[in-house]
Amino acid sequence: MKESVLSFDCKGERLVGILAEPASAAPAEVGVIIIVGGPQYRAGSHRQFTLLARHLANHGVAALRFDYRSMGDSPGETRDFLDVDADIAAAITALLAARPALKRVVLWGLCDAASAALLYLESTADPRVAGVALLNPWARSAATLAQTHVKHYYWRRLREKGFWLKLLRGGVGLTALRTLAGNLRLARGAGKPKTDSRSFQERMAAGLRAFNGPVLLILSGDDYTAREFVGFARSSAAWAGLLVRPTLDLHDMPTADHTFSAIQDQDSQCRICLDWLRTRCLAI
């Protein structure tokens, strides 16, 4: 594989990306746009974006990892995943212009970058997007975080002997019970309807529902963000049925943490992504 710098315009700012592609043959007709999560830049935690892009390029798929405005080497005003539609669109345009053999792209995102990909679909319905790969999507609110803590942390703690011993001694157990009570109050409000405009989680669902292309969803077992997302998706009317659509491939990785920091988990998610691209996207 080979790598080159790709610099391109986004509303008057020059964004910086690294394009990885096969060295001796034309890439597959579908390329990959790796969207960063914030605060993050194009290498990723423990170089995970770099490793993914190189893995794909070594197997015939071009991949662009880039810094959106205000991240890494790209200038611009500070922004988060709710305001990167223009950056994603600019990256798609730049990649397709630089490599005319490419016909469409797949959007790949971890955490709030996965959320950004769905928000982009919701706001643009961009026909250049052939598929989306979503890893541990971000769907956090104060209520969903409280639900996750109650279900996955406090329930386990209440069954531990050490917790009750600390409680009897008046130590941290008492503080934990107070925190649990607060989380229960927040969690009870998670499923209540809102009177204001749609939340970003509802917009994510709308983007996914309107998208007819293939979707890859990878969820880490050792990750509260993934658990929070699943809990929200299963309880939200907006998300009803979306995780069991025939166009969606779900992969659970029980031992993986949020960023797939163990090398065996990183290697596994790279293989899953490549296999999915080959079977679901490259024939489009």
Side-chain angles (χ1 to χ4, degrees):
M1 53 81 65
K2 62 181 180 181
E3 290 181 314
S4 56
V5 176
L6 196 60
S7 179
F8 50 95
D9 179 78
C10 178
K11 294 192 171 182
E13 304 284 2
R14 297 299 295 179
L15 306 191
V16 177
I18 301 295
L19 173 60
E21 57 189 325
S24 58
E29 290 189 351
V30 175
V32 175
I33 300 288
I34 298 175
I35 307 169
V36 303
Q40 189 56 270
Y41 81 116
R42 62 186 180 273
S45 302
H46 43 83
R47 299 169 59 246
Q48 65 177 144
F49 303 156
T50 301
L51 296 174
L52 172 64
R54 291 176 178 175
H55 180 80
L56 296 176
N58 275 319
H59 291 85
V61 180
L64 174 65
R65 49 191 175 89
F66 75 103
D67 298 331
Y68 61 71
R69 285 171 294 171
S70 79
M71 290 292 118
D73 292 314
S74 296
E77 295 183 1
T78 302
R79 66 192 64 248
D80 60 18
F81 72 101
L82 298 172
D83 188 26
V84 294
D85 283 353
D87 306 74
I88 296 172
I92 296 173
T93 299
L95 177 58
L96 296 181
R99 299 295 179 268
L102 298 177
K103 304 302 181 185
R104 301 175 76 191
V105 302
V106 163
L107 301 181
W108 185 102
L110 165 70
C111 193
D112 61 16
S115 306
L118 292 180
L119 294 174
Y120 179 77
L121 292 178
E122 189 271 336
S123 63
T124 68
D126 192 335
R128 300 175 297 175
V129 178
V132 286
L134 313 170
L135 288 75
N136 301 329
W138 177 267
R140 177 159 298 174
S141 66
T144 59
L145 179 60
Q147 282 185 328
T148 303
H149 282 170
V150 169
K151 181 177 180 180
H152 296 287
Y153 175 74
Y154 289 107
W155 178 242
R156 173 178 58 81
R157 287 286 285 139
L158 289 171
R159 291 180 292 173
E160 293 176 354
K161 180 180 178 181
F163 172 85
W164 294 103
L165 290 175
K166 289 180 180 179
L167 178 62
L168 291 173
R169 298 189 190 106
V172 295
L174 185 59
T175 301
L177 280 181
R178 294 195 185 103
T179 305
L180 171 60
N183 277 313
L184 285 171
R185 286 193 296 272
L186 283 172
R188 282 195 295 268
K192 295 181 180 179
K194 298 180 179 180
T195 57
D196 58 1
S197 60
R198 291 180 306 162
S199 66
F200 80 85
Q201 298 97 329
E202 292 168 329
R203 288 184 54 218
M204 287 167 59
L208 181 56
R209 193 174 298 279
F211 183 65
N212 294 320
V215 178
L216 173 64
L217 177 60
I218 298 178
L219 298 173
S220 296
D222 187 19
D223 179 33
Y224 280 127
T225 297
R227 294 177 182 179
E228 192 174 353
F229 168 76
V230 171
F232 179 85
R234 288 176 176 171
S235 63
S236 168
W239 281 85
L242 287 178
L243 300 191
V244 293
R245 300 175 80 188
T247 54
L248 186 144
D249 293 300
L250 172 61
H251 287 265
D252 288 306
M253 296 184 59
T255 65
D257 60 19
H258 184 64
T259 60
F260 307 88
S261 61
I263 189 63
Q264 63 269 24
D265 291 325
Q266 172 67 16
D267 288 346
S268 293
Q269 74 91 1
C270 285
R271 288 194 298 269
I272 290 170
C273 289
L274 180 62
D275 290 344
W276 171 78
L277 282 166
R278 285 172 167 169
T279 57
R280 287 287 211 167
C281 301
L282 299 186
I284 293 177

